[in-house]
Amino acid sequence: MGKVTGFMEYERIEEGYRPVSERVKHHREFVIGLDDEQARVQGARCMDCGTPFCSSGCPVNNIIPDFNDLVYRRDWANAFAVLDSTNNFPEFTGRICPAPCEAACTLNVNDDPVGIKSIEHAIIDRAWENGWVKPRIARVKTGRKVAVVGSGPAGMAASQQLARAGHDVTLFEKNDRIGGLLRYGIPDFKLEKRHIDRRVEQMAAEGVTFRTGVMVGKLPEGSRITNWAKQTVMPEQLLEAFDAVLLCGGAEQSRDLPVPGRELGGIHFAMEFLPQQNKVNAGDKVKGQIRADGKHVIVIGGGDTGSDCVGTSNRHGAASVVQFELMPQPPAQENKELTWPYWPYKLRTSSSHEEGCEREFAIGTKEFVGEKGKVTGLKTVRVAWKDGKMAEVPGTEQTLKADLVLLAMGFTAPVATVLDAFGVDRDARGNARASTDIRGGYATNAPKVFAAGDMRRGQSLVVWAIREGRQAARAVDEFLMGFSDLPR
């Protein structure tokens, strides 16, 4: 719980950032983590609140009061042991999770919450520095073989858990490196890929086999989903060669904007733009890379993916960046009496916004305009919302200049052709239909086939992917062995 009176004595300490003028010149991480004493002070703020809503607010149910207390007492090794017991990859969540645990913190009722995410970040970085993160190799091999399709956080977490249970795990990834959307969706300035690479090394030591550049099934005709596969494996081959198959692919079908002029050049999905930069950062060459240099960029979509497009465009040297959001501007401060301990609706300003971006709320795109086949602008209109319905505001039409338009309006579903090829039923949203029941959870209607992460729940957070990967691993282990000692 930290120090008994700590929450009254100490203020919240935020992690720092490198100056904007410095960080926009490169694609490396720029967050300045807490030093030992700062982390200790944050741990001291943890209250003896009786019911730790932070743990229930965290999808992987991190045992937050315990590791806060251990950090306060400078017992970093045991703090890592507690964190590692529930979260396979704290270096991912400590960097890119939006921290629903902090929204649920009891101190957040009438004060600033404990800096849980920054403490988690501090713990795992020190664990790597001190060599505490080591392979956990199964003592006994079961002889059972499991194929995991999709190497994002759900697939990585499931593969690691299943390997530790003694199964022979093969992790399939259609692109050339492991990591899924962590690798080719999250910019390096938020998550450097060395963090993924060292986890891959750990997992390889634990017995996971990696097969990259392998597409399982087929993408729809004309799909614009990033696919650098050099080999195709059909579902029936996996079902014949493996005792169980776990589908952990991402929700990669980007939401489109079918308005007049959509066919013009210079209009791209965010997930065409961002993966290319990740690949360049890895030292590869990308022919015809989408660049924002000197261009007037408009990002359509106000979420994290749109923010990532803003940050990447600024690093390219865009002439201007404007981000559109169809919904009204949220309030600067949430109504805690109504929202706590749940995730609040409020205005969020990211580090990318601070680097240079104009934000437009309650604005809709009516048409893309262009010359010689290239986009040159957008016709827009202001919108008003009433009773959940949107209406255009008369007399607010205008045309904004744009040389590059990035569509970042979220994702609709996983790849339907892959699910159909396995014979997996889909729910109303196009996701794999599978429950999360304690017994028989994550199993689809197709024999031997399970689904987890975005493939099952739709687009979500990295921490939800890790949770589902862990729980699905236990379900697969129970299916293969009749019981499981893996944590849920």
Side-chain angles (χ1 to χ4, degrees):
M1 60 161 284
K3 187 178 181 181
V4 174
T5 56
F7 70 97
M8 296 186 291
E9 297 177 29
Y10 304 121
E11 299 294 328
R12 177 183 170 97
I13 302 173
E14 299 284 355
E15 292 183 312
Y17 292 158
R18 300 290 180 191
V20 170
S21 60
E22 174 186 324
R23 69 188 194 231
V24 295
K25 296 177 181 178
H26 59 76
H27 292 266
R28 299 185 301 276
E29 291 179 11
F30 54 81
V31 172
I32 304 171
L34 304 184
D35 62 30
D36 285 17
E37 186 57 30
Q38 289 173 326
R40 183 172 181 269
V41 167
Q42 278 306 287
R45 297 183 72 235
C46 189
M47 304 167 65
D48 186 12
C49 58
T51 301
F53 291 94
C54 56
S55 293
S56 59
C58 171
V60 294
N61 302 123
N62 278 334
I63 311 169
I64 294 165
D66 289 33
F67 69 62
N68 284 344
D69 179 66
L70 289 163
V71 168
Y72 168 64
R73 300 180 189 283
R74 297 190 175 94
D75 190 350
W76 290 93
N78 277 319
F80 166 67
V82 171
L83 178 57
D84 185 60
S85 70
T86 56
N87 187 350
N88 293 67
F89 313 119
E91 63 271 42
F92 302 163
T93 53
R95 285 170 167 80
I96 61 175
C97 181
C101 55
E102 294 187 11
C105 175
T106 302
L107 191 54
N108 191 44
V109 172
N110 61 352
D111 200 347
D112 293 327
V114 175
I116 301 167
K117 178 179 174 181
S118 62
I119 294 173
E120 180 177 333
H121 186 180
I123 293 170
I124 188 60
D125 280 6
R126 283 153 182 78
W128 281 107
E129 290 168 6
N130 288 282
W132 300 332
V133 185
K134 297 178 180 178
R136 287 159 50 185
I137 301 170
R139 295 180 180 178
V140 179
K141 300 292 286 186
T142 66
R144 305 298 175 87
K145 297 191 294 184
V146 182
V148 179
V149 180
S151 73
M156 288 181 68
S159 296
Q160 185 168 62
Q161 294 295 96
L162 287 165
R164 290 174 174 177
H167 304 304
D168 294 322
V169 181
T170 302
L171 181 55
F172 291 85
E173 168 58 50
K174 71 179 185 301
N175 292 321
D176 58 347
R177 294 177 175 90
I178 295 296
L181 293 179
L182 286 174
R183 173 80 65 176
Y184 288 124
I186 305 294
D188 285 24
F189 57 79
K190 290 174 66 175
L191 178 71
E192 291 181 5
K193 304 313 177 250
R194 59 187 174 86
H195 303 297
I196 303 173
D197 294 338
R198 60 188 179 186
R199 283 295 184 180
V200 170
E201 291 178 8
Q202 179 196 30
M203 292 168 64
E206 293 171 337
V208 177
T209 298
F210 301 99
R211 291 191 59 186
T212 57
V214 179
M215 178 69 204
V216 177
K218 295 182 179 179
L219 293 176
E221 191 71 28
S223 172
R224 297 166 86 170
I225 294 173
T226 300
N227 178 18
W228 289 309
K230 296 182 178 179
Q231 181 184 356
T232 298
V233 173
M234 299 311 294
E236 51 267 26
Q237 294 175 271
L238 292 190
L239 293 170
E240 182 178 348
F242 293 88
D243 298 302
V245 177
L246 175 56
L247 304 179
C248 292
E252 296 184 272
Q253 299 276 19
S254 298
R255 182 172 283 108
D256 208 344
L257 186 59
V259 299
R262 174 63 180 87
E263 74 286 352
L264 291 168
I267 305 170
H268 304 276
F269 289 122
M271 292 310 299
E272 296 176 273
F273 176 66
L274 295 173
Q276 290 185 359
Q277 185 58 53
N278 288 133
K279 201 164 178 62
V280 170
N281 291 345
D284 297 341
K285 293 183 179 180
V286 176
K287 185 178 180 180
Q289 182 191 2
I290 304 166
R291 298 280 307 183
D293 313 61
K295 295 179 180 177
H296 297 280
V297 180
I298 291 183
V299 179
I300 301 179
D304 288 341
T305 303
S307 174
D308 293 343
C309 290
V310 170
T312 302
S313 297
N314 281 328
R315 281 159 179 76
H316 284 182
S320 66
V321 183
V322 181
Q323 185 177 21
F324 284 6
E325 171 55 63
L326 191 63
M327 301 300 292
Q329 181 171 329
Q333 181 63 50
E334 75 271 29
N335 186 334
K336 292 185 178 182
E337 292 182 354
L338 292 178
T339 61
W340 182 87
Y342 301 108
W343 186 247
Y345 175 67
K346 67 177 182 178
L347 180 66
R348 303 178 191 277
T349 299
S350 72
S351 59
S352 291
H353 294 141
E354 294 170 352
E355 292 164 1
C357 173
E358 182 181 346
R359 303 169 75 181
E360 296 283 354
F361 293 89
I363 187 169
T365 302
K366 298 195 68 173
E367 182 181 353
F368 298 111
V369 296
E371 297 177 1
K372 300 179 181 179
K374 297 286 186 180
V375 68
T376 59
L378 284 73
K379 290 185 178 179
T380 67
V381 64
R382 295 291 171 178
V383 298
W385 292 84
K386 185 176 181 180
D387 299 327
K389 295 182 179 180
M390 183 187 74
E392 296 182 0
V393 179
T396 61
E397 295 83 358
Q398 59 180 332
T399 300
L400 300 180
K401 182 177 178 58
D403 307 306
L404 175 63
V405 178
L406 300 171
L407 305 180
M409 302 173 292
F411 305 89
T412 58
V415 180
T417 52
V418 173
L419 295 177
D420 292 344
F422 277 98
V424 172
D425 287 345
R426 289 179 277 153
D427 62 19
R429 297 184 299 151
N431 304 320
R433 188 185 298 277
S435 74
T436 58
D437 295 340
I438 293 178
R439 296 293 297 180
Y442 296 92
T444 71
N445 63 293
K448 302 199 304 184
V449 180
F450 296 75
D454 287 4
M455 186 72 79
R456 192 200 69 83
R457 65 179 286 116
Q459 70 168 46
S460 191
L461 306 176
V462 62
V463 68
W464 272 106
I466 294 172
R467 171 198 172 106
E468 295 229 338
R470 287 171 62 91
Q471 293 191 347
R474 180 182 172 95
V476 172
D477 190 33
E478 286 181 340
F479 167 74
L480 295 174
M481 307 303 294
F483 70 96
S484 179
D485 291 328
L486 289 174
R488 197 175 193 274

